[in-house]
């Protein structure tokens, strides 16, 4: 899949146009290389592929729209990760408010088939949604996005010790939840 982005030639001076074309090419390459990883992070955070796709696409559009303000193009991926995390938080907040004021409907007792060995993705995703938001963010960023403790702490806006604590509690809770299901 090739993504091309055209800029109006009248929008920039000659030197600025060449620099923006280079930046546009770099952002396009960044999109192609990191879309799946960012989508995976968003899916694990919001547990909805369609919303996750919207989150990642919105993050790329925001980075592209603000490319003229991007001082260090090498930090665009970090900016994208932060944008995905912030947008996922926003979606989850909106869902919580909607759930709070939504009338309660009868729930079905259907459970996924747990006859297979190992942990099914659906079971794991369901268990992740039962974790508190900060624990879920820490576990997803640390173990699924394979980020360091320092980078996870930076993205979450907390200390490395807090990340360790969130991860430890999150993994312990996941173990409890998965034992119930497996």
């Amino acid at each position: 899949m090739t993504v091309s982005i055209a800029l109006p030639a009248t929008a920039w001076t000659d030197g600025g146009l060449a620099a923006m074309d280079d930046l546009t090419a770099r952002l396009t390459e960044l999109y192609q290389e990191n879309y799946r990883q960012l989508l995976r992070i968003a899916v694990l955070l919001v547990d909805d592929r369609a919303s996750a796709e919207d989150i990642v696409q919105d993050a790329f559009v925001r980075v592209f729209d603000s490319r003229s303000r991007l001082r260090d193009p090498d930090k665009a991926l970090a900016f994208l990760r932060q944008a995905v995390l912030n947008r996922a938080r926003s979606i989850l907040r909106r869902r919580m408010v909607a759930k709070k004021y939504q009338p309660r409907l009868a729930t079905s007792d259907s459970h996924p088939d747990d006859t297979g060995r190992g942990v099914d993705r659906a079971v794991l995703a369901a268990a992740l949604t039962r974790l508190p938001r900060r624990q879920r963010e820490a576990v997803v960023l640390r173990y699924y996005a394979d980020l360091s403790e320092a980078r996870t702490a930076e993205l979450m806006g907390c200390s490395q010790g807090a990340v360790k604590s969130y991860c430890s509690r999150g993994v312990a809770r996941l173990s409890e939840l998965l034992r119930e299901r497996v």
Side-chain angles (χ1 to χ4, degrees), residues 79-140:
F79 184 76
L80 279 167
R81 283 189 185 124
Q82 187 68 52
V84 167
L85 182 62
N86 289 341
R87 186 79 172 109
R89 286 175 176 166
S90 178
I91 296 282
L92 291 172
R93 272 192 304 270
R94 212 171 300 131
R95 284 183 187 171
M96 296 266 298
V97 169
K99 186 177 180 181
K100 182 178 179 180
Y101 294 105
Q102 181 179 19
R104 304 252 179 205
L105 302 174
T107 59
S108 64
D109 289 337
S110 64
H111 295 285
D113 182 18
D114 294 335
T115 57
R117 298 186 72 188
V119 177
D120 184 20
R121 284 182 182 220
V123 173
L124 180 60
L128 277 169
T129 61
R130 294 180 60 190
L131 293 179
R133 178 181 61 92
R134 299 292 279 183
Q135 288 179 14
R136 181 175 54 243
E137 288 175 1
V139 168
V140 167

Side-chain angles (χ1 to χ4, degrees), residues 43-61:
V43 166
L44 289 169
L45 290 172
V46 299
D47 192 33
D48 175 21
R49 184 171 176 93
S51 295
E53 288 173 351
D54 290 343
I55 288 169
V56 174
Q57 187 65 31
D58 184 49
F60 274 105
V61 167

Side-chain angles (χ1 to χ4, degrees), residues 138 142 148-154 156-168:
R142 184 77 176 97
S148 67
E149 288 174 353
R151 186 67 187 124
T152 302
E154 183 181 327
M156 291 180 63
C158 62
S159 69
Q160 287 185 27
V163 168
K164 290 178 186 179
S165 176
Y166 290 137
C167 286
S168 174

Side-chain angles (χ1 to χ4, degrees), residues 34-46:
N34 295 287
Y35 177 80
R36 287 182 182 220
Q37 177 196 29
L38 294 170
L39 180 64
R40 207 170 318 125
I41 291 170
V43 166
L44 289 169
L45 290 172
V46 299

